């Protein structure tokens, strides 16, 4: 909580992601302007992580797809209570969507990126698991921060839209990619890029390894832009033996052994 909502380090990471994205937008818009063919960075139906399909864009208008929570928006009002120990509750989150729109801030750098996108005539499209029932409140919250225009069904896609089910976002990504050439995506969870990362059959180690595959590794910072979130979500799992493999366990040398009695190297500071 201190890191994400309070630290300069997290703000700097966010600027790094969004300025990288802004530069990428300018680069892709320039490619379009000189007649180069572009491809979507949305993995199409039938893709696997080892054999992705990225469709040609034709002359579709350009767009970037953004997650909302802890990507474009910091939910300060809601998370302050969570930091105080109030457990997550779906009804409470629903009330937050309806009435908390004034108690948020934009993620550092997000509005700078939006400005760059507008200058290049690139649409900003939100794909979120917030509820469709609260679409007008979410649109108003985003507009209040400076993310307008936000139009449900065009630049705002929510849980249940495009016959999407559960927390999966692929169905909505595919619907967005039918209308727009999605040149970039940003999110704080792997599911903001493809649902394939969250396949239930994927073991803990395999999930971590899957972001570094032949086709996935090259997309980070080059079409896919990830924001920090150490507070909640799909990243926060793994047993002790999974996070810290047994073959990398270390124990300090016994007292009196050469390793602990050797003189410390001299450190000169000028
Ligand atoms: Mg999020």
């Amino acid at each position: 909580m201190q890191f994400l909502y309070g630290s300069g380090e997290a703000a700097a990471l966010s600027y790094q992601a969004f300025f990288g994205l802004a530069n990428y937008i300018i680069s892709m818009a320039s490619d379009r302007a000189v007649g180069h063919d572009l491809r979507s960075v949305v993995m199409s139906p039938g893709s696997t992580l080892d054999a992705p399909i990225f469709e040609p864009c034709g002359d579709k208008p350009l767009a970037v797809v953004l997650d909302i929570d802890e990507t474009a928006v910091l939910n300060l009002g809601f998370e302050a209570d969570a930091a105080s120990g109030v457990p997550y509750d779906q009804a409470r989150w629903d009330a937050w969507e309806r009435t908390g729109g004034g108690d948020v801030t934009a993620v550092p750098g997000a509005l700078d990126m939006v400005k760059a996108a507008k200058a290049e005539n690139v649409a900003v499209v939100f794909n979120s698991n917030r509820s469709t029932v609260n679409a007008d409140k979410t649109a108003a919250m985003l507009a209040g921060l400076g993310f307008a225009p936000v139009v449900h069904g065009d630049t705002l896609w929510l849980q249940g839209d495009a016959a999407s089910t559960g927390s999966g976002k692929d169905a909505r990504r595919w619907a967005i990619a039918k209308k727009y050439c999605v040149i970039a995506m940003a999110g704080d969870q792997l599911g903001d890029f493809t649902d394939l990362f969250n396949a239930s059959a994927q073991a803990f180690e395999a999930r971590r390894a899957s972001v570094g595959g032949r086709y996935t590794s090259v997309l980070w910072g080059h079409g896919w832009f990830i924001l920090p979130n150490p507070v909640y979500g799909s990243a926060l799992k793994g047993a002790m033996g999974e996070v810290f493999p047994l073959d990398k366990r270390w124990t300090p040398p016994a007292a009196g052994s050469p390793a602990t009695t050797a003189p410390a190297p001299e450190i000169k500071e000028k």
Side-chain angles (χ1 to χ4, degrees):
M1 289 285 184
Q2 287 171 320
F3 180 88
L4 184 59
Y5 299 106
S7 79
E9 284 82 350
L13 268 175
S14 302
Y15 279 118
Q16 186 169 281
F18 278 121
F19 286 178
L21 174 50
N23 282 333
Y24 191 77
I25 286 169
I26 293 166
S27 159
M28 290 295 104
S30 302
D31 279 359
R32 167 65 67 86
V34 298
H36 288 177
D37 291 333
L38 300 183
R39 279 181 184 264
S40 171
V41 296
V42 172
M43 286 188 178
S44 296
S47 292
T48 66
L49 292 171
D50 294 325
I53 303 163
F54 297 110
E55 305 279 358
C57 278
D59 57 1
K60 290 176 196 167
L62 306 185
V64 293
V65 173
L66 286 191
D67 168 52
I68 294 177
D69 296 303
E70 276 56 49
T71 294
V73 173
L74 293 176
N75 290 291
L76 287 172
F78 186 84
E79 296 298 334
D81 282 359
S84 309
V86 178
Y88 181 83
D89 175 78
Q90 186 57 40
R92 200 164 173 286
W93 176 264
D94 184 64
W96 167 250
E97 286 188 9
R98 284 185 276 108
T99 65
D103 297 320
V104 294
T105 60
V107 171
L111 291 168
D112 302 278
M113 181 280 294
V114 167
K115 199 173 164 191
K118 280 184 179 163
E120 297 293 344
N121 203 24
V122 173
V124 176
V125 179
F126 293 96
N127 182 5
S128 167
N129 284 327
R130 285 185 175 223
S131 167
T132 51
V133 176
N134 302 325
D136 57 338
K137 303 290 188 192
T138 294
M141 179 275 290
L142 290 168
L145 287 174
F147 289 106
V150 185
V151 180
H152 188 205
D154 180 20
T155 54
L156 177 64
W157 294 76
L158 301 165
Q159 193 164 48
D161 288 342
S164 55
T165 53
S167 57
K169 291 185 165 180
D170 274 348
R172 280 171 268 150
R173 270 188 283 269
W174 296 332
I176 295 164
K178 272 191 178 151
K179 177 172 180 185
Y180 290 102
C181 173
V182 180
I183 55 171
M185 297 190 286
D188 65 306
Q189 311 279 326
L190 291 185
D192 292 326
F193 303 94
T194 169
D195 292 345
L196 294 170
F197 284 130
N198 292 329
S200 57
Q202 185 138 272
F204 180 85
E205 301 86 350
R207 184 173 186 272
R208 184 167 166 93
S210 67
V211 306
R214 173 65 184 88
Y215 298 103
T216 50
S217 61
V218 292
L219 283 162
W220 303 115
H222 194 80
W224 291 1
F225 296 81
I226 193 146
L227 279 299
N229 185 355
V231 170
Y232 65 80
S234 56
L236 305 185
K237 58 185 170 189
M240 188 72 184
E242 292 173 315
V243 177
F244 299 100
L246 290 173
D247 67 350
K248 296 295 182 197
R249 293 298 172 86
W250 172 82
T251 49
S257 73
T260 57
T261 54
E266 191 183 351
I267 298 170
K268 283 182 181 162
E269 220 173 299
K270 289 182 178 170

